Amino acid sequence: MNDKNIMESHMGTTAIKISARDVQVYYGDNHAIKDVSIDIEDKTVTAFIGPSGCGKSTFLRCLNRMNDTIDICKVTGSIRIDDEDIYDRRVDPVQLRAKVGMVFQKPNPFPKSIYDNVAYGPRIHGLAQNKADLDDIVERALRRGAIWNEVKDRLQSPGIGLSGGQQQRLCIARAVATEPEVLLMDEPCSALDPIATAQVEELIDELRQSFSVVIVTHSMQQAARVSQKTAFFHLGNMVEYGETGQIFTTPQDPRTESYITGRIG
Amino acid sequence: MSTTSLLVIAILILATLGYFLASKRAISTAGGDRRKLHSLPVYYGSNAAMFTAIPALGVLLIWLLAQPMLVERNVLSTIPDKLITEGSSIGLVMSDVRRVADGLEVVVSTGTLSQNETLKLDTEQTDIRALLAGVGAAVGSDVLPEMLEVAQNYRAQTKMGQLWMVLSIAPLALIGFALSVLAAKPTFRARNTVERGILALLVLAASLAILTTICIVFSMLFESINFFKLHPWTDFFFGGSWAPNFRGDSDLSILPLLWGTIYISIIALIVAVPVGLFAAIYLSEYAGPRVRAFAKPLLEILAGIPTIVYGLFALVTVGPALVRVFGRGEEGLLGVEWMSGATAVLTAGLVMGIMLIPFVSSLSDDIINAVPQSLRDGSLGLGATPSETIRQVVLPAALPGIVGAVLLAASRAIGETMIVVLGAGAIAKFSANPLEAMTTITTRIVSQLTGDTDFASPETLVAFALGLTLFVLTLGLNVIALYIVRKYREQYD
């Protein structure tokens, strides 16, 4: 009991990184996200869980304005990162995405060498002064992506030639290389086998040291393993949000309980 | 009505009959319970129709192709030397024989004379030439007794062949009919048999396309060989001038023509590739659905314009416009006298480029769309702008396919005819000046084969050698292009 209080007070001191208020998302006539308000903490892994089509991926894509690339999508409400409204007219979505990195469901390495895949972001944003600097950035990113040892001898071979799990870690390294502050992960393990999944989960736990990580997942075990906070989405609403342990042991909302115990979803 | 068409109708009636009998028999052998049948009654019927008609019709087709050749060969050896006069050949005599024989058949069918009467015809008593002319069959000279004899021989052999044809094909159809109707029992797997038949049909269609290509190559090859017997191949491939002269002793070298072809094609590609590619990038990456729905069909209409219309455009619009800019001395826009006539390499190249724009853009558009959206998302998610994404991710991924599209466009440019006929001129020469008239391989093929042609002179036969070279060129380009495109497709599958 005492332990829990200490932990909670410790978590309470963590700064709020992303703060969303009354977010609505429409795909044409379809009201995909309804009234979602959430505070996502820095240096924390936050998991979004919920049945398919509940809007968790849609909401995730609002956080770096990837929904802008879909013509019929309309977002209202306010989403603030470091107290700056990211849907403000003055915010360049391109700059925003450099700050809020994203890892996708299916590993999507570019048809380039492993080195060029990782160097892609730093090159675009001019992060490296010279070649040696870039080499350094690439090595650091690959190390943080926990894949350096496997690829250090073949940096010039194509990224597509790696295995699925390696490809996904390469994509994480690629996202990390641009030094983002937030890392969004959209079901990063759904295309991977259990071993690769375990590697990626371990990696997510390490990334928490430096970033605020938001992960969408279908696997409740995964959410329980990697996250500190969990939000449960259902039919476009955010039903419940809280400490992961609390959500999985004593959910407040009957819908959350039904989902976790396997009655809906 | 001729024997052949009667036979075909009989086979088709038998096949229809087989269809109904077999499906009925299948149901009755199953005791009226369709569920006991292996296949639907339709399949039993189709199976019977198939086995009645297809073997019989197939043999009939082969017979019809083979019989005239065999008869002709038999008759050819019986033609006496007396008939082959000065300035004639055995081939001409043979065609006369055929004309007389066919004419006599017409005489019988119109009822002028009976079958027996035609067999007893005698050149002494009847003017056969007049008789044949009466039914619309013109024979070049008076029919000699020897000629009539050969023709009668030809008729007799043809008749005999037809008799044998009926005697062999009718039983074949009947056997197929009987076997397949008897086979219509519940245990018979009619569905599988019919589907194998359909498979055979598909294979036939596919091999026909390939066979046609092979036939085209061979027909060109034989004529080209004839050409190289009359004209040294070294001059054709390595000579420096093109000056056909119908009195003989011509310079027939492909190099000046090849130069014109390649020069014009390069100008066309310089126009078509950037414009087409940029249009494709705009349409596939930037244009909204409404613009796309409007612009894409519009571009494809361009691809549907007949090339002769582009040729007219070159002749009446682009050529004179270029002359206004680069020619006419003091009156021209630039005040220079570089271009004298409307037909020039630049005219043809520009218009051909316009023709190729929709070709390049439509192919590139498909290829760019085939690049997975996940790659674009990945790049945009790293903070790249759409333009950076296209330049650094989409285009490199699509590059092999785009190269393939450009090569396909190049092979179309090389084979294009009507635009260059009207736009490029007719002078074969080596020149780097795009404002001069030049000519291409295709236009020379047209001019060598139009008008009075004698298929024994190198000046005419050279067209086939040119055509064959062109074919090899474009075929090579297409093969390379398809190889590249296919290799690229595997990347994402």
Side-chain angles (χ1 to χ4, degrees), chain A:
Chain A
M1 194 66 194
N2 220 3
D3 278 1
K4 203 181 168 201
N5 277 341
I6 290 168
M7 214 176 91
E8 267 180 0
S9 65
H10 173 70
M11 297 298 274
T13 57
T14 321
I16 301 296
K17 187 71 182 172
I18 305 172
S19 160
R21 290 290 173 271
D22 302 326
V23 175
Q24 320 277 346
V25 179
Y26 302 88
Y27 282 121
D29 293 333
N30 180 15
H31 194 172
I33 295 282
K34 299 161 192 155
D35 276 329
V36 172
S37 300
I38 189 171
D39 286 327
I40 292 170
E41 292 166 3
D42 203 8
K43 314 263 191 268
T44 305
V45 178
T46 306
F48 290 175
I49 61 169
S52 294
C54 67
K56 54 194 190 306
S57 288
T58 301
F59 184 67
L60 188 78
R61 290 167 67 94
C62 291
L63 300 181
N64 69 345
R65 293 185 61 174
M66 276 303 275
N67 284 332
D68 290 16
T69 59
I70 300 164
D71 293 324
I72 54 165
C73 184
K74 195 172 129 245
V75 180
T76 65
S78 95
I79 299 175
R80 305 177 84 82
I81 295 182
D82 289 337
D83 225 25
E84 187 186 17
D85 187 350
I86 61 169
Y87 279 89
D88 193 277
R89 212 176 270 279
R90 279 167 302 180
V91 170
D92 178 8
V94 172
Q95 280 320 110
L96 172 73
R97 288 180 203 138
K99 200 167 124 180
V100 184
M102 188 157 193
V103 176
F104 297 85
Q105 187 169 357
K106 217 175 131 232
N108 57 348
F110 302 137
K112 297 170 183 281
S113 70
I114 293 170
Y115 183 95
D116 286 337
N117 260 285
V118 180
Y120 184 79
R123 275 188 182 136
I124 282 179
H125 301 295
L127 300 183
Q129 306 283 344
N130 49 44
K131 177 81 172 83
D133 212 9
L134 189 63
D135 289 348
D136 217 40
I137 290 174
V138 169
E139 181 178 340
R140 210 164 53 229
L142 285 170
R143 279 187 194 283
R144 287 167 90 178
I147 193 180
W148 171 253
N149 287 329
E150 290 156 67
V151 301
K152 64 182 175 201
D153 299 323
R154 46 169 173 158
L155 289 176
Q156 295 311 320
S157 56
I160 294 176
L162 297 172
S163 74
Q166 289 174 325
Q167 286 190 8
Q168 192 63 302
R169 278 179 287 149
L170 174 65
C171 292
I172 293 173
R174 186 175 73 187
V176 166
T178 49
E179 302 285 340
E181 296 168 22
V182 180
L183 199 55
L184 308 177
M185 298 182 142
D186 189 356
E187 297 180 41
C189 300
S190 64
L192 305 183
D193 66 36
I195 296 170
T197 302
Q199 286 166 329
V200 170
E201 283 179 5
E202 202 177 315
L203 173 60
I204 291 170
D205 204 48
E206 280 164 31
L207 293 173
R208 181 161 68 96
Q209 317 290 327
S210 352
F211 312 108
S212 165
V213 178
V214 184
I215 176 170
V216 164
T217 177
H218 265 296
S219 153
M220 283 177 280
Q221 288 88 340
Q222 185 173 57
R225 280 194 301 265
V226 300
S227 70
Q228 285 77 52
K229 296 276 236 173
T230 297
F232 172 63
F233 284 76
H234 187 243
L235 300 177
N237 296 301
M238 195 187 72
V239 174
E240 194 166 349
Y241 175 52
E243 298 292 330
T244 300
Q246 179 254 316
I247 293 271
F248 279 98
T249 51
T250 52
Q252 306 294 312
D253 194 286
R255 284 172 291 179
T256 317
E257 194 185 353
S258 305
Y259 181 68
I260 286 165
T261 54
R263 278 200 293 273
I264 58 169

Side-chain angles (χ1 to χ4, degrees), chain B residues 339-481:
Chain B
M339 194 169 171
S340 49
T343 53
V345 168
L346 192 61
T347 314
L350 280 179
V351 175
M352 204 193 281
I354 295 167
M355 179 197 84
L356 291 177
I357 288 171
F359 192 71
V360 174
S361 79
S362 161
L363 276 174
S364 310
D365 185 52
D366 292 344
I367 290 156
I368 291 173
N369 277 328
V371 174
Q373 183 61 29
S374 69
L375 288 184
R376 292 186 190 93
D377 283 349
S379 173
L380 294 173
L382 287 169
T385 61
S387 144
E388 282 163 345
T389 302
I390 290 162
R391 266 184 291 130
Q392 303 198 22
V393 175
V394 177
L395 284 187
L399 190 65
I402 291 170
V403 170
V406 170
L407 287 182
L408 284 178
S411 83
R412 271 203 67 174
I414 289 173
E416 172 49 40
T417 311
M418 289 328 294
I419 292 175
V420 281
V421 165
L422 294 180
I427 304 153
K429 65 180 159 198
F430 291 104
S431 164
N433 182 358
L435 301 176
E436 276 182 45
M438 256 183 242
T439 192
T440 67
I441 296 178
T442 48
T443 57
R444 285 314 91 192
I445 294 177
V446 171
S447 69
Q448 293 313 101
L449 287 182
T450 40
D452 271 341
T453 49
D454 168 12
F455 276 84
S457 76
E459 285 76 17
T460 306
L461 288 173
V462 72
F464 295 97
L466 289 175
L468 190 65
T469 320
L470 197 66
F471 177 79
V472 170
L473 257 173
T474 51
L475 185 74
L477 274 179
N478 280 343
V479 167
I480 296 170

